[in-house]
Amino acid sequence: MIPESDGSAGAGRDGRLALATRQRGGVGVRSNFFWTANRMIAVWVVALLAALVFLLLLADVAGLPHWLVLILSMIVAPVGLIPLLGRLTRQIGQVMGHASKLRPDGTVIPAVALAPSRVLGKELGLQAVGPNASGGSPAALVVLADRVELWSGRNEAGPRWSMSRAGLQIDAGRAQIGIANNWDVVWLSDGLRQLAVSPRYSPKPNGADNDIDRVVRELGQDPAEVRRNSWPERRGSQRIDRRFVVPFYFQMSGANSTAYLPRVERSLVRASAKVTADEVQWLLSTGDWRRMAMGAWFALAVPREEGHEAVLVGMAGSNRDDSALPLAAVSALLTGPDAIGAMETYLDRIVDVPRRDQSFEIVAAAIAHLGGAPPVTPPTWATEAFEELLAVAQDLQQRFRAARA
């Protein structure tokens, strides 16, 4: 697996990543004051159930029917969410006030922050998205002249995440919170880690869409350009996204697949039995990293000659590690040494320090594996990471073929 970058190494190599735990000499990033909305809602549910039991017992003593208590509870329960929302809003305001005090020259954006993986969420002390999440962590996004910082604490000495504006990648999209809730968010990535930030100029979670463009402008980019380059919505694409992309891309992008595959493997294999070569080729041609990542994996399910060219084009045209790493493993497996040219094209494009991420070393390891001459000697960790990705590709290829037999 890819080792976590330490704060000093990350800043020295590409000037983009600085984790608060290392910045402050190992001080934990969690505040003992702030709860994530997930914990707040959990406490609210427990309190509601306890109150319901108490009222039912009281109804027995008073001789009142239980159905009356249940109806009253159904009325009171939604009302109980109002102070909960107010508490979260107050916490965001306190984070903003603290960040503004320490960064008086920055633009401070009220937000809730979400990490796309449990590992990153635990590392940064932020709520993670996913089926078990109920909300996000109170946060403030601080835009400075040279960097963007994420704060989430009333009295912490430093940000939980800091990234250079030169290497910042921005997408406008949605994040699924819980089983059915979708929030409009701005996705921020430094090439190594990614966060979802939902603006809270308005306290309503479903009111964030009106503020996405405002946040993008504060980050110094054109909202129309960001939305155009983000996950495209095209006629006829929603069915493909819903079946082959949305359920899997969090777990199967970048190097995540080696850790998260067991969680989605069964449903991934089922989906592979239905995907067509035309759909795979389209996924790989969109330029969207989510679709390209899943197009790479599903290319293992269709006949080799029908996915060969699309995989190579996708490898050469990939713009970030989320899609480049699955494409490196799949193209190596499906096309062998023919993939070296496409991999070299990818490395040529990201060789600039501000744009480099760990995929540079891993794709170099893929070139070496295929017998080519990479521009750098891949370190041991990169070789091991590529071998793990290749093993995932080989295993999925066998399972996909069995499912389609």
Side-chain angles (χ1 to χ4, degrees):
M1 294 296 293
I2 301 174
E4 297 291 344
S5 302
D6 61 24
S8 58
R13 185 176 63 250
D14 48 31
R16 288 175 294 174
L17 181 63
L19 294 179
T21 47
R22 282 98 186 201
Q23 286 177 324
R24 304 200 301 276
V27 177
V29 297
R30 285 178 179 76
S31 165
N32 57 10
F33 175 79
F34 291 100
W35 286 358
T36 64
N38 188 48
R39 293 170 184 162
M40 293 164 65
I41 291 175
V43 171
W44 173 78
V45 170
V46 171
L48 180 65
L49 291 176
L52 179 60
V53 171
F54 174 77
L55 290 175
L56 288 173
L57 293 175
L58 189 63
D60 287 337
V61 174
L64 297 174
H66 286 180
W67 61 264
L68 180 61
V69 174
L70 294 175
I71 291 176
L72 289 174
S73 300
M74 292 175 64
I75 296 174
V76 172
V79 176
L81 283 173
I82 296 176
L84 184 71
L85 184 61
R87 179 177 173 84
L88 180 61
T89 303
R90 287 193 299 274
Q91 288 186 342
I92 294 173
Q94 289 171 314
V95 178
M96 288 184 63
H98 177 62
S100 298
K101 182 178 179 181
L102 296 183
R103 297 290 189 269
D105 56 338
T107 300
V108 183
I109 300 170
V112 293
L114 298 134
S117 71
R118 303 288 178 221
V119 173
L120 182 58
K122 183 177 181 181
E123 184 176 358
L124 297 182
L126 301 176
Q127 175 65 42
V129 303
N132 296 324
S134 301
S137 301
L141 198 65
V142 180
V143 183
L144 300 167
D146 61 337
R147 66 188 184 280
V148 177
E149 296 178 343
L150 183 79
W151 294 71
S152 184
R154 182 178 63 172
N155 51 17
E156 294 178 346
R160 301 200 178 186
W161 204 37
S162 176
M163 62 214 90
S164 167
R165 291 182 66 173
L168 184 63
Q169 300 167 5
I170 301 175
D171 285 325
R174 310 201 86 191
Q176 182 175 335
I177 314 302
I179 296 176
N181 296 322
N182 289 286
W183 287 4
D184 295 289
V185 299
V186 175
W187 287 101
L188 303 177
S189 174
D190 60 6
L192 297 178
R193 290 174 174 82
Q194 187 181 48
L195 291 177
V197 176
S198 185
R200 282 297 177 271
Y201 295 106
S202 165
K204 299 179 181 179
N206 58 2
D209 183 51
N210 298 327
D211 298 319
I212 295 295
D213 289 353
R214 180 177 176 180
V215 173
V216 172
R217 281 192 293 268
E218 297 287 11
L219 292 168
Q221 298 199 26
D222 180 6
E225 187 69 19
V226 168
R227 287 186 181 274
R228 183 162 50 248
N229 293 332
S230 294
W231 197 336
E233 293 297 336
R234 301 176 184 175
R235 181 174 297 180
S237 69
Q238 293 185 357
R239 181 190 64 83
I240 300 176
D241 290 336
R242 187 171 58 251
R243 296 179 69 181
F244 304 120
V245 182
V246 174
F248 310 114
Y249 77 90
F250 268 138
Q251 295 88 351
M252 299 301 294
S253 60
N256 287 346
S257 56
T258 56
Y260 293 109
L261 177 61
R263 301 184 184 182
V264 297
E265 185 171 15
R266 182 177 300 177
S267 55
L268 190 65
V269 171
R270 285 200 300 267
S272 73
K274 302 176 182 178
V275 72
T276 67
D278 287 342
E279 289 169 336
V280 169
Q281 292 167 4
W282 181 79
L283 288 170
L284 288 168
S285 69
T286 60
D288 177 77
W289 65 267
R290 308 163 187 83
R291 288 170 170 160
M292 291 178 71
M294 293 315 304
W297 294 119
F298 283 124
L300 298 169
V302 301
R304 177 183 176 278
E305 61 276 7
E306 297 185 22
H308 178 285
E309 188 63 28
V311 167
L312 291 180
V313 172
M315 180 71 252
S318 183
N319 287 311
R320 53 196 292 177
D321 62 325
D322 303 274
S323 56
L325 296 184
L327 282 163
V330 171
S331 62
L333 179 60
L334 292 182
T335 69
D338 289 345
I340 292 176
M343 293 177 181
E344 290 174 339
T345 300
Y346 172 74
L347 294 186
D348 287 342
R349 193 170 58 258
I350 68 165
V351 70
D352 296 335
V353 171
R355 298 188 62 187
R356 281 181 57 174
D357 52 48
Q358 290 179 316
S359 68
F360 189 88
E361 288 81 5
I362 297 175
V363 174
I367 293 174
H369 173 84
L370 295 173
V376 296
T377 301
T380 302
W381 67 260
T383 300
E384 293 174 350
F386 172 72
E387 290 175 350
E388 289 184 7
L389 286 166
L390 184 61
V392 168
Q394 291 169 334
D395 179 64
L396 285 179
Q397 185 182 49
Q398 294 178 356
R399 294 178 181 273
F400 288 174
R401 287 178 175 175
R404 296 172 72 92

